[in-house]
Every structure is written in C-alpha cells, then in structure tokens.
Amino acid sequence: MLIGEMTNPVSFALNRPGYLAKLLNLEDAGVLQRLYEQCTEFALLTDGQPPALTAAREEFDVVPGGKTTQDKYIFGLFAPQDDLIGMIESIRYYPDDQTWWLGLMMLSPEHRGQGLGKEFYRAFENWVAEQGLKQMSLSVIEANDPGLQFWKGLGFEMLRKTEPRQFGNKTHAVYVMSRAVATTA
C-alpha cells in the first residue's frame, strides 16, 4: 500500500481506553507549545536552553533535505479529558522509501513511567505498518541515556554513532538506531 492510499491518516487508538493519537496541524501549534514547555528538561538536555516561544510552530516546517512538509506527520497523544500529553514527530520515506523516521517523541512528565510511552510508540508503529513501510529509524543524543535505554527496550538496534555536532548551545554525538516494523496481522 502506498502512503497516498493511507488507511487512516488522521488518528490511531492506544490499547488504553480513552487515549487517542490524532494528526496535528499548524492550528494546533499553541497546544503543542504548551507540551514543549512541560518538557523543558529535554530542551535543556539537548540544546542547553528552554524551548523557543516558536518551537511548536517551527516543528511543522522543519524537514530534512529532499523532503517536504507533505512528508511530515506530527501526532498528538490525547488523554481521556482531551488534554495533549504527548507527541510524535516523524517523516515518511526517510532516509529511504522503506523507512519511516521518528524525529521526536515527547510525553509530559506526569505521564511518564506508566508504560504510556511504549504504548504510544507501539500504536504509532502499528499505524506505520498499515502504510506498508518496513523499518523505523531514529536518533538519540549520547547524553540522553534514559532515551537510549527506552528505545533499546523497544527493540531498536544501534547502527552507528555520529561525530559530535552542534545542538543549540551544546555539542552531542548521536546514536542512529533502527528496527524492523512489526507486520500487521
């Protein structure tokens, strides 16, 4: 199945009752910005500074070379009260036509440690599998050991470690990781 023939490009459910992931658009930048601000510790770890006031707005426009905003998917995770508590930013067909790249996943601090992040990722991967892609890839900065352990726990394997590069006020080496997408039954 090709991406243009998506089975459900708008949302996917988690196994947890009342939790739903919905495709976000530019009009959702305000609510997404609040999530960025709740997750300030990640911005401080990565960039050495709090998220910019325009971070969520810019998230909708930033794509790697050779890709367009049509290739970008930002899903928001909504709790039963319809509060945005998490997000996944991703790029289809990157770096090749069988891979979906996960650029960023955030979960509000009060919802961590309950298995919700794993459920969110697995539901996302199931949705990606329905689109016919075969592989998920992502990167983790070397300083983010909890993130590295999280992704390893989900079956991601390290492909390589990059040379250090600049992220805001900080410099980090990056672990590039990948895993085969579970096929849908």
Side-chain angles (χ1 to χ4, degrees):
M1 178 178 305
L2 299 174
I3 293 293
E5 303 169 4
M6 287 186 181
T7 56
N8 184 358
V10 178
S11 65
F12 54 88
L14 276 65
N15 288 331
R16 197 175 289 224
Y19 287 80
L20 182 68
K22 302 177 205 173
L23 188 64
L24 301 179
N25 58 46
L26 192 53
E27 289 78 34
D28 299 309
V31 69
L32 183 58
Q33 183 68 30
R34 287 191 290 280
L35 179 64
Y36 270 74
E37 292 165 6
Q38 291 172 7
C39 299
T40 293
E41 82 287 347
F42 180 73
L44 293 172
L45 175 69
T46 304
D47 301 332
Q49 57 198 13
L53 296 175
T54 57
R57 166 66 184 88
E58 293 167 3
E59 191 68 64
F60 289 94
D61 295 329
V62 176
V63 293
K67 303 311 289 177
T68 71
T69 56
Q70 298 299 317
D71 297 309
K72 178 168 259 200
Y73 291 78
I74 301 175
F75 284 97
L77 176 60
F78 292 86
Q81 305 79 18
D82 208 32
D83 295 327
L84 180 68
I85 62 166
M87 66 85 78
I88 288 178
E89 177 271 327
S90 61
I91 301 287
R92 67 179 176 179
Y93 301 143
Y94 186 79
D96 58 52
D97 64 356
Q98 290 298 307
T99 305
W100 200 287
W101 184 270
L102 195 154
L104 178 62
M105 180 174 159
M106 289 191 298
L107 192 62
S108 64
E110 65 272 13
H111 292 94
R112 296 177 193 159
Q114 304 165 30
L116 191 56
K118 287 181 181 181
E119 288 181 46
F120 184 26
Y121 170 76
R122 287 184 182 127
F124 172 71
E125 183 178 286
N126 289 339
W127 181 84
V128 167
E130 291 173 2
Q131 312 318 315
L133 276 85
K134 308 286 185 221
Q135 184 169 292
M136 291 292 307
S137 291
L138 55 83
S139 62
V140 179
I141 61 169
E142 186 176 28
N144 186 1
D145 191 61
L148 179 63
Q149 298 311 314
F150 175 82
W151 295 114
K152 282 182 175 180
L154 283 166
F156 279 81
E157 296 179 2
M158 196 169 321
L159 300 177
R160 68 183 178 280
K161 180 179 175 182
T162 69
E163 290 295 318
R165 62 180 186 185
Q166 198 69 32
F167 289 82
N169 295 329
K170 292 192 170 187
T171 303
H172 301 284
V174 172
Y175 298 115
V176 177
M177 306 178 80
S178 186
R179 72 171 254 128
V181 170
T183 57
T184 56

